[in-house]
Amino acid sequence: MGDSHLFADTFTLTELNSQKYDRVSRLSSHTENGDTLLTLDVNTELFPCAVGERLHILLASTLSLDGSKDDGKGWRDVGRGESSLADEYDYVCHGKIYRFEEGDDENIKVFVSFGGLLLYMEGPYKKLTPLRIDYVYLLIKK
């Protein structure tokens, strides 16, 4: 995992709640070893999911393959034919980390907003500490 890759793991989808909104579902999942919990709002019209699926999740500080900073260049400004990390994933969002909380024992809680779609993670301090930055890209593939 490079410096730009802040968090990467595989999660198993345990619950899918789509009662509140038409095109958005709240996914609940955990890592395969059970040390990290994740709750995430996803546009299921763009990225349909089912309970039991495995999702590979990456939180990164940049979409550049070489790990270089974006320098104000957003993901939409990537030139034609120019490759990025987003090419390797099915669902990509850019968001702001807005809160950290102490959890039980050695765990911390991380809250991220992707334009109103929320991410909540709870896991080991050592695993989630790299997320102490302002903005991240969320990348998901099945």
Side-chain angles (χ1 to χ4, degrees), residues 7-14 27-40 50-59 119-124 127-128 131 138-142:
F7 175 89
D9 213 331
T10 300
F11 288 81
T12 301
L13 194 53
T14 56
L27 313 177
S28 297
S29 59
H30 57 79
T31 54
E32 294 182 347
N33 65 5
D35 70 345
T36 307
L37 302 175
L38 176 131
T39 302
L40 174 65
V51 171
E53 285 185 327
R54 294 176 63 210
L55 303 176
H56 303 282
I57 296 191
L58 170 66
L59 293 170
L119 164 74
Y120 163 78
M121 291 178 69
E122 183 174 355
K127 200 172 182 181
L128 300 181
L131 297 175
L138 166 71
L139 301 104
I140 306 174
K141 66 181 169 182
K142 294 182 181 178

Short mmCIF file of all heavy atoms in Angstrom, two decimals, residues 7-14 27-40 50-59 119-124 127-128 131 138-142:
data_model
loop_
_atom_site.label_atom_id
_atom_site.label_comp_id
_atom_site.label_asym_id
_atom_site.label_seq_id
_atom_site.Cartn_x
_atom_site.Cartn_y
_atom_site.Cartn_z
N PHE A 7 -6.11 3.56 3.26
CA PHE A 7 -6.78 2.40 3.84
C PHE A 7 -7.23 1.49 2.72
O PHE A 7 -7.79 1.96 1.73
CB PHE A 7 -8.00 2.84 4.67
CG PHE A 7 -8.81 1.70 5.21
CD1 PHE A 7 -8.51 1.14 6.43
CD2 PHE A 7 -9.87 1.18 4.48
CE1 PHE A 7 -9.25 0.07 6.92
CE2 PHE A 7 -10.61 0.11 4.95
CZ PHE A 7 -10.29 -0.45 6.18
N ALA A 8 -7.00 0.20 2.86
CA ALA A 8 -7.48 -0.77 1.87
C ALA A 8 -7.81 -2.07 2.58
O ALA A 8 -7.03 -2.53 3.42
CB ALA A 8 -6.43 -1.01 0.79
N ASP A 9 -8.97 -2.63 2.28
CA ASP A 9 -9.36 -3.90 2.87
C ASP A 9 -10.55 -4.47 2.10
O ASP A 9 -11.16 -3.78 1.29
CB ASP A 9 -9.74 -3.74 4.34
CG ASP A 9 -9.38 -4.97 5.18
OD1 ASP A 9 -9.38 -6.10 4.62
OD2 ASP A 9 -9.11 -4.81 6.37
N THR A 10 -10.88 -5.72 2.38
CA THR A 10 -12.02 -6.39 1.77
C THR A 10 -13.10 -6.53 2.83
O THR A 10 -12.83 -7.00 3.93
CB THR A 10 -11.61 -7.76 1.22
OG1 THR A 10 -10.59 -7.57 0.24
CG2 THR A 10 -12.79 -8.46 0.57
N PHE A 11 -14.31 -6.13 2.47
CA PHE A 11 -15.45 -6.18 3.38
C PHE A 11 -16.50 -7.13 2.84
O PHE A 11 -16.69 -7.24 1.63
CB PHE A 11 -16.08 -4.79 3.53
CG PHE A 11 -15.24 -3.83 4.33
CD1 PHE A 11 -14.18 -3.17 3.75
CD2 PHE A 11 -15.53 -3.59 5.66
CE1 PHE A 11 -13.41 -2.29 4.48
CE2 PHE A 11 -14.76 -2.71 6.40
CZ PHE A 11 -13.70 -2.06 5.81
N THR A 12 -17.21 -7.78 3.76
CA THR A 12 -18.34 -8.63 3.39
C THR A 12 -19.62 -7.88 3.76
O THR A 12 -19.78 -7.44 4.90
CB THR A 12 -18.28 -9.97 4.15
OG1 THR A 12 -17.06 -10.62 3.82
CG2 THR A 12 -19.45 -10.86 3.76
N LEU A 13 -20.50 -7.73 2.79
CA LEU A 13 -21.75 -6.99 2.98
C LEU A 13 -22.71 -7.83 3.82
O LEU A 13 -23.08 -8.94 3.44
CB LEU A 13 -22.35 -6.69 1.62
CG LEU A 13 -23.46 -5.68 1.51
CD1 LEU A 13 -23.09 -4.36 2.15
CD2 LEU A 13 -23.80 -5.45 0.06
N THR A 14 -23.11 -7.28 4.99
CA THR A 14 -23.97 -8.03 5.91
C THR A 14 -25.41 -7.53 5.94
O THR A 14 -26.31 -8.26 6.31
CB THR A 14 -23.41 -7.98 7.35
OG1 THR A 14 -23.27 -6.61 7.74
CG2 THR A 14 -22.08 -8.68 7.44
N LEU A 27 -25.26 0.48 3.34
CA LEU A 27 -24.61 -0.81 3.42
C LEU A 27 -23.92 -0.98 4.76
O LEU A 27 -23.25 -0.06 5.22
CB LEU A 27 -23.53 -0.95 2.33
CG LEU A 27 -23.88 -0.55 0.90
CD1 LEU A 27 -22.67 -0.71 0.01
CD2 LEU A 27 -25.03 -1.36 0.38
N SER A 28 -24.08 -2.11 5.39
CA SER A 28 -23.34 -2.44 6.60
C SER A 28 -22.45 -3.63 6.27
O SER A 28 -22.89 -4.59 5.62
CB SER A 28 -24.29 -2.81 7.74
OG SER A 28 -25.09 -1.71 8.07
N SER A 29 -21.20 -3.56 6.70
CA SER A 29 -20.26 -4.62 6.37
C SER A 29 -19.14 -4.67 7.40
O SER A 29 -18.99 -3.78 8.23
CB SER A 29 -19.69 -4.40 4.97
OG SER A 29 -19.04 -3.15 4.90
N HIS A 30 -18.35 -5.72 7.31
CA HIS A 30 -17.20 -5.88 8.19
C HIS A 30 -16.07 -6.54 7.41
O HIS A 30 -16.31 -7.21 6.39
CB HIS A 30 -17.55 -6.71 9.43
CG HIS A 30 -18.09 -8.07 9.10
ND1 HIS A 30 -17.29 -9.12 8.74
CD2 HIS A 30 -19.35 -8.52 9.05
CE1 HIS A 30 -18.05 -10.18 8.49
NE2 HIS A 30 -19.32 -9.84 8.66
N THR A 31 -14.85 -6.34 7.88
CA THR A 31 -13.71 -6.98 7.24
C THR A 31 -13.76 -8.47 7.50
O THR A 31 -14.48 -8.94 8.37
CB THR A 31 -12.37 -6.42 7.78
OG1 THR A 31 -12.37 -6.52 9.20
CG2 THR A 31 -12.15 -4.98 7.36
N GLU A 32 -12.98 -9.20 6.74
CA GLU A 32 -13.01 -10.65 6.86
C GLU A 32 -12.55 -11.13 8.24
O GLU A 32 -13.03 -12.13 8.74
CB GLU A 32 -12.18 -11.27 5.74
CG GLU A 32 -12.83 -10.99 4.40
CD GLU A 32 -12.10 -11.60 3.22
OE1 GLU A 32 -10.95 -12.05 3.39
OE2 GLU A 32 -12.70 -11.64 2.15
N ASN A 33 -11.63 -10.40 8.88
CA ASN A 33 -11.21 -10.79 10.22
C ASN A 33 -12.06 -10.12 11.31
O ASN A 33 -11.85 -10.35 12.49
CB ASN A 33 -9.72 -10.52 10.44
CG ASN A 33 -9.38 -9.05 10.41
OD1 ASN A 33 -10.24 -8.19 10.30
ND2 ASN A 33 -8.10 -8.76 10.50
N GLY A 34 -13.02 -9.28 10.90
CA GLY A 34 -13.98 -8.69 11.81
C GLY A 34 -13.48 -7.52 12.64
O GLY A 34 -14.18 -7.03 13.51
N ASP A 35 -12.25 -7.02 12.37
CA ASP A 35 -11.72 -5.95 13.20
C ASP A 35 -12.20 -4.55 12.81
O ASP A 35 -12.11 -3.62 13.60
CB ASP A 35 -10.19 -5.98 13.24
CG ASP A 35 -9.54 -5.58 11.92
OD1 ASP A 35 -10.24 -5.55 10.89
OD2 ASP A 35 -8.32 -5.29 11.92
N THR A 36 -12.75 -4.39 11.61
CA THR A 36 -13.21 -3.09 11.14
C THR A 36 -14.65 -3.19 10.64
O THR A 36 -14.97 -4.05 9.84
CB THR A 36 -12.31 -2.55 10.01
OG1 THR A 36 -10.95 -2.58 10.44
CG2 THR A 36 -12.69 -1.14 9.63
N LEU A 37 -15.49 -2.28 11.13
CA LEU A 37 -16.88 -2.19 10.69
C LEU A 37 -17.03 -0.99 9.77
O LEU A 37 -16.40 0.05 9.98
CB LEU A 37 -17.80 -2.03 11.89
CG LEU A 37 -17.74 -3.12 12.94
CD1 LEU A 37 -18.62 -2.76 14.12
CD2 LEU A 37 -18.17 -4.44 12.35
N LEU A 38 -17.89 -1.11 8.76
CA LEU A 38 -18.11 -0.04 7.81
C LEU A 38 -19.60 0.09 7.53
O LEU A 38 -20.27 -0.92 7.31
CB LEU A 38 -17.35 -0.34 6.51
CG LEU A 38 -17.55 0.64 5.38
CD1 LEU A 38 -16.19 1.04 4.80
CD2 LEU A 38 -18.40 0.05 4.29
N THR A 39 -20.09 1.32 7.58
CA THR A 39 -21.45 1.64 7.16
C THR A 39 -21.32 2.71 6.09
O THR A 39 -20.64 3.72 6.31
CB THR A 39 -22.29 2.15 8.34
OG1 THR A 39 -22.30 1.15 9.35
CG2 THR A 39 -23.72 2.45 7.91
N LEU A 40 -21.95 2.51 4.94
CA LEU A 40 -21.75 3.39 3.80
C LEU A 40 -23.04 3.58 3.03
O LEU A 40 -23.74 2.62 2.75
CB LEU A 40 -20.68 2.78 2.88
CG LEU A 40 -20.41 3.46 1.55
CD1 LEU A 40 -19.80 4.84 1.76
CD2 LEU A 40 -19.47 2.61 0.70
N ALA A 50 -25.62 -6.66 -3.15
CA ALA A 50 -26.44 -7.68 -2.51
C ALA A 50 -25.73 -8.18 -1.26
O ALA A 50 -24.49 -8.22 -1.21
CB ALA A 50 -26.70 -8.84 -3.46
N VAL A 51 -26.51 -8.56 -0.27
CA VAL A 51 -25.95 -9.09 0.97
C VAL A 51 -25.11 -10.31 0.65
O VAL A 51 -25.47 -11.14 -0.18
CB VAL A 51 -27.09 -9.43 1.97
CG1 VAL A 51 -26.56 -10.19 3.17
CG2 VAL A 51 -27.81 -8.17 2.40
N GLY A 52 -23.96 -10.40 1.29
CA GLY A 52 -23.05 -11.52 1.06
C GLY A 52 -21.93 -11.22 0.09
O GLY A 52 -20.94 -11.95 0.05
N GLU A 53 -22.06 -10.15 -0.69
CA GLU A 53 -21.01 -9.78 -1.64
C GLU A 53 -19.77 -9.29 -0.90
O GLU A 53 -19.86 -8.73 0.18
CB GLU A 53 -21.48 -8.68 -2.59
CG GLU A 53 -22.41 -9.16 -3.65
CD GLU A 53 -22.77 -8.08 -4.65
OE1 GLU A 53 -22.86 -6.89 -4.27
OE2 GLU A 53 -22.98 -8.44 -5.82
N ARG A 54 -18.63 -9.48 -1.54
CA ARG A 54 -17.37 -8.97 -1.01
C ARG A 54 -17.01 -7.71 -1.78
O ARG A 54 -17.04 -7.71 -3.02
CB ARG A 54 -16.27 -10.02 -1.15
CG ARG A 54 -16.56 -11.24 -0.27
CD ARG A 54 -15.55 -12.33 -0.47
NE ARG A 54 -14.24 -11.86 -0.07
CZ ARG A 54 -13.10 -12.31 -0.62
NH1 ARG A 54 -13.13 -13.19 -1.57
NH2 ARG A 54 -11.95 -11.85 -0.20
N LEU A 55 -16.69 -6.66 -1.05
CA LEU A 55 -16.32 -5.39 -1.65
C LEU A 55 -14.89 -5.04 -1.28
O LEU A 55 -14.52 -5.08 -0.11
CB LEU A 55 -17.25 -4.27 -1.17
CG LEU A 55 -18.74 -4.46 -1.40
CD1 LEU A 55 -19.52 -3.31 -0.77
CD2 LEU A 55 -19.06 -4.59 -2.87
N HIS A 56 -14.08 -4.70 -2.28
CA HIS A 56 -12.71 -4.25 -2.05
C HIS A 56 -12.76 -2.72 -1.97
O HIS A 56 -13.14 -2.06 -2.94
CB HIS A 56 -11.80 -4.71 -3.19
CG HIS A 56 -11.82 -6.20 -3.37
ND1 HIS A 56 -11.13 -7.05 -2.55
CD2 HIS A 56 -12.48 -6.97 -4.25
CE1 HIS A 56 -11.35 -8.29 -2.93
NE2 HIS A 56 -12.17 -8.27 -3.97
N ILE A 57 -12.40 -2.18 -0.82
CA ILE A 57 -12.53 -0.75 -0.57
C ILE A 57 -11.16 -0.14 -0.37
O ILE A 57 -10.32 -0.67 0.38
CB ILE A 57 -13.44 -0.49 0.65
CG1 ILE A 57 -14.83 -1.00 0.30
CG2 ILE A 57 -13.42 0.97 1.05
CD1 ILE A 57 -15.92 -0.63 1.23
N LEU A 58 -10.94 0.98 -1.04
CA LEU A 58 -9.70 1.74 -0.92
C LEU A 58 -10.05 3.18 -0.63
O LEU A 58 -10.92 3.76 -1.29
CB LEU A 58 -8.90 1.64 -2.23
CG LEU A 58 -7.69 2.56 -2.36
CD1 LEU A 58 -6.61 2.18 -1.35
CD2 LEU A 58 -7.12 2.50 -3.77
N LEU A 59 -9.39 3.77 0.35
CA LEU A 59 -9.47 5.21 0.59
C LEU A 59 -8.09 5.76 0.25
O LEU A 59 -7.08 5.29 0.78
CB LEU A 59 -9.83 5.50 2.05
CG LEU A 59 -11.24 5.09 2.45
CD1 LEU A 59 -11.43 5.20 3.95
CD2 LEU A 59 -12.27 5.95 1.75
N LEU A 119 -20.12 7.88 5.18
CA LEU A 119 -19.31 6.70 5.49
C LEU A 119 -18.97 6.76 6.97
O LEU A 119 -18.57 7.81 7.48
CB LEU A 119 -18.01 6.71 4.68
CG LEU A 119 -16.89 5.77 5.14
CD1 LEU A 119 -17.24 4.33 4.80
CD2 LEU A 119 -15.58 6.15 4.52
N TYR A 120 -19.14 5.64 7.65
CA TYR A 120 -18.76 5.50 9.05
C TYR A 120 -17.90 4.25 9.16
O TYR A 120 -18.28 3.19 8.66
CB TYR A 120 -20.00 5.37 9.93
CG TYR A 120 -19.72 4.84 11.31
CD1 TYR A 120 -19.19 5.66 12.30
CD2 TYR A 120 -19.98 3.51 11.63
CE1 TYR A 120 -18.92 5.17 13.57
CE2 TYR A 120 -19.72 3.01 12.90
CZ TYR A 120 -19.19 3.84 13.86
OH TYR A 120 -18.92 3.36 15.11
N MET A 121 -16.74 4.40 9.77
CA MET A 121 -15.86 3.25 9.99
C MET A 121 -15.45 3.21 11.44
O MET A 121 -15.18 4.25 12.05
CB MET A 121 -14.60 3.35 9.12
CG MET A 121 -14.84 3.18 7.66
SD MET A 121 -13.34 3.37 6.68
CE MET A 121 -12.44 1.94 7.14
N GLU A 122 -15.37 2.01 11.98
CA GLU A 122 -14.84 1.81 13.32
C GLU A 122 -13.86 0.66 13.26
O GLU A 122 -14.18 -0.42 12.76
CB GLU A 122 -15.95 1.51 14.33
CG GLU A 122 -15.43 1.38 15.74
CD GLU A 122 -16.53 1.23 16.77
OE1 GLU A 122 -17.72 1.31 16.41
OE2 GLU A 122 -16.19 1.02 17.94
N GLY A 123 -12.65 0.92 13.74
CA GLY A 123 -11.63 -0.11 13.69
C GLY A 123 -10.41 0.26 14.49
O GLY A 123 -10.38 1.29 15.17
N PRO A 124 -9.37 -0.56 14.39
CA PRO A 124 -8.15 -0.35 15.16
C PRO A 124 -7.49 1.00 14.84
O PRO A 124 -7.44 1.42 13.68
CB PRO A 124 -7.24 -1.49 14.73
CG PRO A 124 -8.13 -2.51 14.13
CD PRO A 124 -9.30 -1.77 13.57
N LYS A 127 -4.83 1.07 12.16
CA LYS A 127 -5.32 0.86 10.80
C LYS A 127 -5.99 2.11 10.21
O LYS A 127 -5.92 2.37 9.01
CB LYS A 127 -6.32 -0.29 10.83
CG LYS A 127 -6.58 -0.96 9.53
CD LYS A 127 -7.43 -2.21 9.78
CE LYS A 127 -7.69 -2.95 8.53
NZ LYS A 127 -8.52 -4.14 8.76
N LEU A 128 -6.66 2.91 11.08
CA LEU A 128 -7.42 4.06 10.59
C LEU A 128 -6.72 5.41 10.79
O LEU A 128 -7.19 6.42 10.29
CB LEU A 128 -8.80 4.10 11.27
CG LEU A 128 -9.68 2.87 11.03
CD1 LEU A 128 -11.02 3.04 11.72
CD2 LEU A 128 -9.89 2.61 9.54
N LEU A 131 -6.05 8.13 8.05
CA LEU A 131 -7.18 8.90 7.54
C LEU A 131 -7.28 10.29 8.18
O LEU A 131 -8.22 11.02 7.91
CB LEU A 131 -8.49 8.14 7.77
CG LEU A 131 -8.59 6.81 7.03
CD1 LEU A 131 -9.87 6.09 7.42
CD2 LEU A 131 -8.52 7.02 5.53
N LEU A 138 -12.94 7.64 -2.25
CA LEU A 138 -13.44 6.31 -1.92
C LEU A 138 -13.53 5.54 -3.24
O LEU A 138 -14.17 6.00 -4.18
CB LEU A 138 -14.82 6.39 -1.28
CG LEU A 138 -15.61 5.10 -1.17
CD1 LEU A 138 -15.00 4.17 -0.12
CD2 LEU A 138 -17.07 5.37 -0.84
N LEU A 139 -12.90 4.38 -3.29
CA LEU A 139 -12.92 3.54 -4.49
C LEU A 139 -13.39 2.16 -4.09
O LEU A 139 -12.87 1.57 -3.13
CB LEU A 139 -11.53 3.47 -5.12
CG LEU A 139 -10.95 4.83 -5.52
CD1 LEU A 139 -9.89 5.27 -4.55
CD2 LEU A 139 -10.40 4.80 -6.92
N ILE A 140 -14.37 1.62 -4.82
CA ILE A 140 -14.93 0.31 -4.50
C ILE A 140 -14.98 -0.55 -5.76
O ILE A 140 -15.34 -0.05 -6.84
CB ILE A 140 -16.37 0.43 -3.94
CG1 ILE A 140 -16.43 1.38 -2.76
CG2 ILE A 140 -16.90 -0.94 -3.54
CD1 ILE A 140 -17.85 1.64 -2.27
N LYS A 141 -14.66 -1.82 -5.61
CA LYS A 141 -14.87 -2.80 -6.67
C LYS A 141 -15.28 -4.11 -6.05
O LYS A 141 -15.00 -4.38 -4.89
CB LYS A 141 -13.64 -2.95 -7.55
CG LYS A 141 -12.43 -3.54 -6.88
CD LYS A 141 -11.29 -3.61 -7.87
CE LYS A 141 -9.98 -3.96 -7.15
NZ LYS A 141 -8.87 -3.98 -8.09
N LYS A 142 -15.99 -4.90 -6.84
CA LYS A 142 -16.48 -6.20 -6.35
C LYS A 142 -15.46 -7.28 -6.63
O LYS A 142 -14.60 -7.16 -7.46
CB LYS A 142 -17.80 -6.57 -7.02
CG LYS A 142 -18.90 -5.62 -6.60
CD LYS A 142 -20.21 -6.02 -7.22
CE LYS A 142 -21.27 -5.01 -6.79
NZ LYS A 142 -22.55 -5.27 -7.35
#
